[in-house]
Amino acid sequence: MIPILDERGEQTYNQEGKALFKKTKADVELKDFNDLQIWIKPPGQDKKVKVAVWWLIERYIKIDTKEGDIIAFELNDAQIDLYKELCLQKRAGKRMRINILKARQLGMSTFIAALYIVLALLVPGQKAVVVADLAENAKKIFEKYQFMYSSLPEWIRQAIPLKADNAHELVVSYGTRKSSIRVVTVGDHAGRGTTCQYLHLSEVAFWKDIKSVIKSLNQTVSTKNPFAIIIYETTANGVNEYKTMYDNAVGGKSSFKAVFYPWYLDRDYRMDYWGFELMDHEKKLMEELHLDLHQIAWYRFKLNEMEGDLDGLRQEYPSTPIEAFIVTGSSLFPMEQVLKRKAEVIGVKYPTYEFIWDKKIVNEQGDSITLVNPRLSPKSLGLITIFKEVEKGHPYIINVDPAMGGEDNFVAQVFDNHTCKQVAKLCINHNSNYQWLGEQIYCLCRYYNGAFLNAECNNPTGTFILEVAETCGHHFIYQDNAVDTLSDHYEDRRGYKTKTSNREYMINLTVKAYRDDYQMISDYDTLCEMENFQVVRNERTGKEKAEATSGNHDDHVTSLFGIFLARRSMIQTTLIDETISSEQKSYDELLAERRMLNRQKRIDENHRKEMSDQWL
């Protein structure tokens, strides 16, 4: 319950002199969330009592509104949800780590300030550090802490008197022990080289060198402390390193829980509806998010303020986490379709596997490998994700994009050639056991009806993977039609090389396929990389190239290129069953026939050129 205050921000009383309070939404929704508690000794009591943090915030902390009024801190919907998320992590035995993506002005930094006032200042020997993007914002945040401390009841301030209140730090005394809250800017690096229990990183999407700075700051909080809290809190800033961090959190690849708070959670974002005709996107908001006309009227007012810039409005006041990262101008893939597909698959969980076998037999010459009884085995963190099970009679294509070292991923995409849809992928980081990976690829080919196999062979890894698959008995492999410019002969090479001459062609094939069917991709990671795959300008040379933006990967995207390159030349054969037997020979014969025709075509072209030269 929050105290009812008068116009001066003072407690009001009834005629009998009893303090007046008002029941709040938190009283109902947080009554069972007692995971965050501290000990306090109220006036007139001999013993300490354990009290929930949210109750202390609403009872004792006041805030200064934009209108200049002093009011009791009543938790709004977004703040209640954040408190629940912290409690649920602690209840599950996890470390409290939250990554908040939000619309502007939802009061998240104010709530975190109130949270840290209670947890840090009201408990002996605690330290909280807040890191802001700009000095101006750091000043505003610190002023919130100063006001909240000054608004605490006098009996609390007497128990924890201020020992320091300078430009960026509050320090209170517990006799020989101290507790403190420090607010700094990211450029000062003032949060490093120390330890704290509570860390708040504000507007991290606008920091420079985001990943390395955050990695360093996170080390200041002990992972062994079950009561410690780290919170990232930011609005979006386009496609940058923060977006990758948020996507990783959404995909379960981070110790942080990703949460999103849209604009319409703010109860003040409402206006009287003035009878305007609804646009299509407004109708969609009302239908999908169950918004009312008063909220839509506020949204239209903000759109008019931004002179009709809908993308800008969505970035500042997103309705969904996908909208928050609106990218304009440089994306090769159609962003509207990518964002729509991401929204469709963001919560879908697909099974993951690895192939196992009973025994591996290698012949004496070492040129033949037999895997006995290969089969899929469910793994919680398996390298193979299956989006759609194999269908009898369907031809499939697999393309491998081998890791090039460093932080590159080894990725293989699997597509149904009839439907042109992604059905599976194989992805692994930093693995040099390419023999085992080649055997996994062989099994994947066998599982998907003896799939047509392709691989990028710019480095020896791709060639080696194809050789392993062939040694295991798979011969349905893409044959590059490239011509060696020195010998003027066709290169007898499996797989393909990505070169300046064919890269743009493969990109265009892939982009066109996605424009034709935006639902062809089911993998969230692939969609995220498609979003990051843009025309990037090299500031040093002035040249532009389609690639991943700084700090991001494009392995999932480039692994699509070989799919559509191979698809153009794939022999359209309907398989009767997945067993590879004498049918494999017919594939080799057909491929050999195709190579022979291509060589003859080249000979004919050379002959015509010679005749033309003689005539000239």
Side-chain angles (χ1 to χ4, degrees):
M1 299 179 74
I2 61 170
I4 298 175
L5 307 181
D6 60 22
E7 63 275 3
R8 296 173 300 173
E10 301 293 335
Q11 174 74 65
T12 58
Y13 299 87
N14 62 15
Q15 293 179 350
E16 289 77 28
K18 186 177 180 180
L20 298 176
F21 294 90
K22 181 182 77 170
K23 193 172 183 179
T24 66
K25 190 171 184 178
D27 289 317
V28 178
E29 295 205 9
L30 297 180
K31 63 181 180 179
D32 296 325
F33 287 85
N34 297 315
D35 306 84
L36 296 176
Q37 295 181 318
I38 67 167
W39 292 95
I40 65 168
K41 186 179 179 182
Q45 293 193 24
D46 297 330
K47 294 183 179 180
K48 290 183 177 182
V49 293
K50 206 171 189 180
V51 183
V53 170
W54 71 266
W55 186 90
L56 288 168
I57 291 173
E58 289 205 329
R59 179 59 63 93
Y60 295 127
I61 290 183
K62 300 173 186 177
I63 55 176
D64 194 359
T65 68
K66 301 172 189 175
E67 294 76 22
D69 299 324
I70 297 175
I71 62 173
F73 197 139
E74 181 178 358
L75 273 63
N76 63 30
D77 292 342
Q79 294 161 350
I80 289 172
D81 185 81
L82 174 57
Y83 190 87
K84 286 181 179 179
E85 290 290 351
L86 289 167
C87 288
L88 290 172
Q89 281 191 319
K90 190 171 184 299
R91 193 178 297 178
K94 299 178 181 178
R95 297 298 177 261
M96 290 178 279
R97 306 287 189 267
I98 302 290
N99 186 340
I100 301 171
L101 175 66
K102 64 181 181 64
R104 291 195 178 278
Q105 300 176 342
L106 288 179
M108 299 312 298
S109 62
T110 304
F111 172 69
I112 296 167
L115 185 72
Y116 285 5
I117 281 278
V118 173
L119 288 172
L121 292 193
L122 272 59
V123 179
Q126 303 300 298
K127 291 181 181 178
V129 174
V130 181
V131 185
D133 57 331
L134 300 171
E136 179 184 356
N137 292 335
K139 183 173 183 268
K140 291 178 181 177
I141 292 173
F142 186 67
E143 287 173 351
K144 290 180 182 179
Y145 280 97
Q146 286 179 309
F147 182 84
M148 287 181 183
Y149 175 82
S150 66
S151 71
L152 289 172
E154 187 177 352
W155 64 270
I156 293 181
R157 286 184 280 118
Q158 287 179 350
I160 52 169
L162 274 179
K163 290 300 179 182
D165 180 8
N166 54 40
H168 57 76
E169 188 172 30
L170 291 175
V171 181
V172 298
S173 173
Y174 286 86
T176 58
R177 304 186 71 188
K178 296 178 181 179
S179 292
S180 66
I181 295 175
R182 194 177 193 190
V183 183
V184 297
T185 58
V186 64
D188 295 336
H189 303 309
R192 304 185 188 188
T194 185
T195 59
C196 63
Q197 290 74 41
Y198 306 103
L199 183 62
H200 171 202
L201 308 184
S202 178
E203 293 296 348
V204 295
F206 295 84
W207 293 11
K208 293 182 179 179
D209 198 16
I210 297 172
K211 287 185 179 178
S212 62
V213 174
I214 284 182
K215 184 178 179 181
S216 176
L217 287 170
N218 284 348
Q219 303 309 309
T220 66
V221 180
S222 172
T223 57
K224 296 180 180 179
N225 185 348
F227 301 100
I229 297 175
I230 303 178
I231 298 176
Y232 305 161
E233 165 262 327
T234 188
T235 49
N237 187 28
V239 175
N240 61 3
E241 290 179 293
Y242 171 75
K243 182 185 179 301
T244 303
M245 290 167 52
Y246 186 82
D247 286 338
N248 287 339
V250 170
K253 299 177 181 179
S254 166
S255 59
F256 283 73
K257 171 68 181 295
V259 294
F260 170 71
Y261 298 116
W263 64 270
Y264 55 82
L265 287 182
D266 193 311
R267 301 166 193 171
D268 293 331
Y269 288 173
R270 305 173 65 84
M271 294 181 69
D272 291 334
Y273 174 62
W274 62 88
F276 56 84
E277 185 177 350
L278 296 183
M279 300 180 185
D280 289 341
H281 71 272
E282 293 167 336
K283 294 176 183 177
K284 187 177 179 181
L285 286 175
M286 292 189 69
E287 180 182 349
E288 295 183 356
L289 302 176
H290 310 292
L291 304 186
D292 59 41
L293 285 172
H294 298 292
Q295 291 169 305
I296 294 299
W298 180 90
Y299 197 70
R300 173 66 71 87
F301 179 80
K302 298 303 291 186
L303 180 63
N304 292 340
E305 270 193 339
M306 300 181 72
E307 299 182 351
D309 182 6
L310 182 57
D311 282 347
L313 179 63
R314 284 170 170 169
Q315 184 165 329
E316 296 293 310
Y317 298 97
S319 303
T320 67
I322 305 302
E323 274 189 3
F325 297 108
I326 286 289
V327 184
T328 57
S330 58
S331 297
L332 284 162
F333 291 93
M335 285 286 56
E336 186 100 13
Q337 292 174 310
V338 173
L339 296 176
K340 183 178 180 180
R341 186 56 177 160
K342 282 181 70 176
E344 292 172 356
V345 305
I346 191 170
V348 181
K349 300 294 183 183
Y350 294 101
T352 56
Y353 305 88
E354 287 179 13
F355 280 102
I356 60 172
W357 42 85
D358 295 336
K359 188 177 181 181
K360 182 167 79 171
I361 302 172
V362 183
N363 70 350
E364 293 182 0
Q365 293 77 24
D367 58 1
S368 175
I369 296 174
T370 301
L371 303 178
V372 180
N373 191 25
R375 60 199 180 277
L376 280 176
S377 175
K379 299 282 184 180
S380 59
L381 295 175
L383 73 162
I384 297 170
T385 305
I386 291 185
F387 310 110
K388 185 174 176 57
E389 278 293 343
V390 61
E391 292 190 44
K392 187 176 181 179
H394 278 228
Y396 293 90
I397 307 175
I398 296 175
N399 184 59
V400 177
D401 183 16
M404 300 290 285
E407 295 185 355
D408 283 349
N409 299 312
F410 182 105
V411 181
Q413 300 277 11
V414 187
F415 269 64
D416 185 325
N417 196 45
H418 274 346
T419 64
C420 193
K421 289 187 184 294
Q422 181 189 37
V423 296
K425 77 163 185 179
L426 181 152
C427 179
I428 192 169
N429 306 92
H430 313 301
N431 190 297
S432 58
N433 188 352
Y434 295 120
Q435 178 69 36
W436 177 74
L437 283 174
E439 291 162 358
Q440 291 287 324
I441 293 293
Y442 159 74
C443 292
L444 197 59
C445 290
R446 174 174 172 152
Y447 184 80
Y448 277 99
N449 295 342
F452 190 32
L453 177 61
N454 195 9
E456 185 191 54
C457 297
N458 284 44
N459 69 8
T461 304
T463 303
F464 181 76
I465 293 296
L466 296 180
E467 288 176 355
V468 171
E470 192 169 20
T471 303
C472 289
H474 187 73
H475 303 290
F476 193 26
I477 298 174
Y478 177 78
Q479 174 70 43
D480 197 352
N481 294 324
V483 175
D484 187 324
T485 54
L486 294 178
S487 64
D488 203 31
H489 289 88
Y490 278 95
E491 294 178 304
D492 189 16
R493 183 181 66 220
R494 301 287 177 105
Y496 68 100
K497 282 188 176 181
T498 300
K499 297 174 285 190
T500 304
S501 58
N502 67 358
R503 189 173 188 271
E504 186 175 351
Y505 172 69
M506 292 190 291
I507 290 174
N508 289 337
L509 286 178
T510 307
V511 172
K512 181 183 182 303
Y514 190 75
R515 288 185 183 277
D516 291 343
D517 179 12
Y518 83 98
Q519 291 184 320
M520 78 175 195
I521 302 295
S522 295
D523 176 45
Y524 188 80
D525 291 337
T526 302
L527 290 164
C528 288
E529 289 194 8
M530 290 167 69
E531 192 176 12
N532 296 332
F533 196 77
Q534 302 180 39
V535 177
V536 177
R537 179 182 176 85
N538 186 312
E539 296 300 330
R540 184 176 59 84
T541 64
K543 294 183 178 180
E544 294 183 336
K545 180 182 179 182
E547 60 185 358
T549 52
S550 176
N552 293 305
H553 293 280
D554 57 13
D555 312 281
H556 286 75
V557 173
T558 54
S559 61
L560 296 174
F561 296 168
I563 293 288
F564 297 99
L565 181 68
R567 221 172 160 250
R568 285 299 182 96
S569 63
M570 181 178 178
I571 303 163
Q572 299 295 321
T573 304
T574 300
L575 305 179
I576 302 303
D577 59 57
E578 66 183 56
T579 304
I580 302 174
S581 56
S582 59
E583 289 181 347
Q584 188 65 63
K585 182 179 179 181
S586 65
Y587 297 154
D588 290 339
E589 290 174 348
L590 288 168
L591 287 171
E593 182 179 343
R594 181 181 180 83
R595 288 197 295 272
M596 182 67 72
L597 290 171
N598 285 332
R599 290 192 183 100
Q600 187 61 48
K601 181 180 178 182
R602 183 62 179 174
I603 291 170
D604 292 343
E605 287 176 352
N606 287 337
H607 179 67
R608 284 194 295 271
K609 185 176 182 299
E610 290 172 359
M611 294 296 293
S612 176
D613 290 342
Q614 289 176 6
W615 185 84
L616 289 172

